[in-house]
Amino acid sequence: MTRFNRITDIPGIRVGHAEDARIASGVTALIFERPFACAVDVRGGGPGTRETDLLDPASTVQAVDALFLSGGSAFGLDAGAGVVAALREAGRGFAVGEARVPIVPGAILFDLLNGGDKAWGRFPPYRDLGYAAAIGAAGEAFALGSVGAGFGARTANLKGGLGSASGAVPGLAAQVGALVAVNAFGRVTMGEGPHFWAAPFERDGEFGGLGLPPTVPEDVVSWPRHALPGANTTLAVVATDAALTKAQAKRLAVVAQDGLARAIHPAHTPLDGDVVFAVATGAVPLADPITDLARLGAAAAETLARAVALGVHSATRLPCLDLPAWRELHGRD
């Protein structure tokens, strides 16, 4: 049963945010109480990632200490160094002789054209933001919307944001959670209206309770007006307390990508860098490694779709952002 409807309902995961309103950008760090199995699936045509090669099932390192999601495009990759620094201070990391090397993969989204002051000089602020996000990761409840990696995010017609959700897996003792920074080329609503694509998966009116529209809008699949290669990206993490190998976690990430396709239209385009990480804490063994993994994947995709809608629904407009529309969803200009 979910407590906070957050990815932190999976025991052993903490989340921290740090953002800078001046630059209209930020970082989200996921810190694990011990190393967890992790994999990644990249579907967007313009991704930016750090240390994702080691997540291949054939690679030596079998688990990671943390993950990070960051704004800032390539500059935001510096956030990983900040998270590594915080973990090293805590004595965490993969042991190589007497040395310890924290394993912190991550990914970035593009928010360089959102109106914030990006004239940061020789040293971008993302290393410090990554450190602050890692140090600030505590407890199970954390903010959604215009925070962390979602602070300066946008979609085709609405402010983007940071979303999270969790839920039980039907037929299993395991549960799943998702966290996502929504900065999509596409729309999370059906056309320009207020109805979310993820409406069929909504629980307890968590993103407004509007459901599906009474009739299909004429502009339901209209093409977004602004297209700039590499200027978008949705970053996500799905997590489970099930016991998975890296290969099984990879399949979980692959299936969970369906959550982006169900919640955003279009998704996985050459204009996005869509990335989904999958993390498994190992607490709940699977009785059937094939069928149970399929159940986990289906639940993770639905939970991720909900998290996408929650991120946008929770977002607040920032004065620096030039948005094409901000109307019925929040009922304010």
Side-chain angles (χ1 to χ4, degrees):
M1 179 178 293
T2 62
R3 295 181 62 210
F4 293 98
N5 198 27
R6 303 284 196 272
I7 196 171
T8 45
D9 285 331
I10 307 300
I13 298 176
R14 296 180 288 118
V15 172
H17 302 307
E19 55 274 328
D20 185 332
R22 180 182 60 84
I23 68 171
S25 189
V27 174
T28 295
L30 296 92
I31 308 299
F32 308 138
E33 67 177 8
R34 57 183 174 77
F36 291 146
C38 183
V40 67
D41 186 67
V42 180
R43 295 289 173 94
T49 59
R50 179 187 190 272
E51 289 205 305
T52 50
D53 283 351
L54 61 77
L55 300 180
D56 186 287
S59 295
T60 300
V61 174
Q62 293 299 302
V64 306
D65 297 294
L67 293 170
F68 75 90
L69 310 178
S70 178
S73 189
F75 302 101
L77 292 173
D78 286 357
V83 179
V84 166
L87 289 173
R88 183 178 182 182
E89 289 178 350
R92 296 285 304 276
F94 182 74
V96 184
E98 295 182 356
R100 285 193 172 272
V101 182
I103 306 300
V104 185
I108 48 88
L109 56 81
F110 187 98
D111 57 7
L112 298 180
L113 300 179
N114 65 5
D117 181 7
K118 305 304 191 292
W120 45 59
R122 181 179 296 181
F123 301 106
Y126 291 98
R127 188 181 192 278
D128 289 339
L129 289 171
Y131 181 88
I135 293 297
E140 296 169 303
F142 58 90
L144 304 183
S146 298
V147 294
F151 188 85
R154 301 184 289 186
T155 71
N157 62 327
L158 293 168
K159 174 74 178 68
L162 194 288
S164 189
S166 66
V169 180
L172 300 182
Q175 57 184 338
V176 294
L179 180 145
V180 61
V182 187
N183 187 60
F185 168 68
R187 296 182 181 89
V188 302
T189 56
M190 301 177 72
E192 294 292 334
H195 298 272
F196 285 100
W197 282 106
F201 311 110
E202 185 176 14
R203 298 185 180 182
D204 300 322
E206 61 192 349
F207 41 85
L210 295 179
L212 294 170
T215 60
V216 177
E218 291 184 3
D219 65 347
V220 64
V221 291
S222 59
W223 195 245
R225 292 184 290 271
H226 303 281
L228 186 63
N232 303 100
T233 289
T234 296
L235 308 174
V237 181
V238 295
T240 179
D241 52 2
L244 302 181
T245 65
K246 284 175 70 177
Q248 290 172 317
K250 171 68 175 183
R251 180 53 50 187
L252 180 64
V254 169
V255 179
Q257 286 273 13
D258 290 348
L260 298 186
R262 290 169 179 166
I264 303 168
H265 177 80
H268 306 143
T269 76
L271 302 152
D272 295 283
D274 297 342
V275 174
V276 174
F277 294 95
V279 177
T281 71
V284 180
L286 298 184
D288 183 332
I290 297 176
T291 302
D292 289 353
L293 182 58
R295 289 180 182 272
L296 281 172
E302 293 175 8
T303 304
L304 179 51
R306 292 168 49 218
V308 168
L310 276 161
V312 175
H313 185 262
S314 302
T316 55
R317 185 174 181 177
L318 302 180
C320 65
L321 295 184
D322 179 19
L323 295 168
W326 185 266
R327 293 187 291 272
E328 297 176 74
L329 184 63
H330 292 286
R332 57 183 182 267
D333 294 330

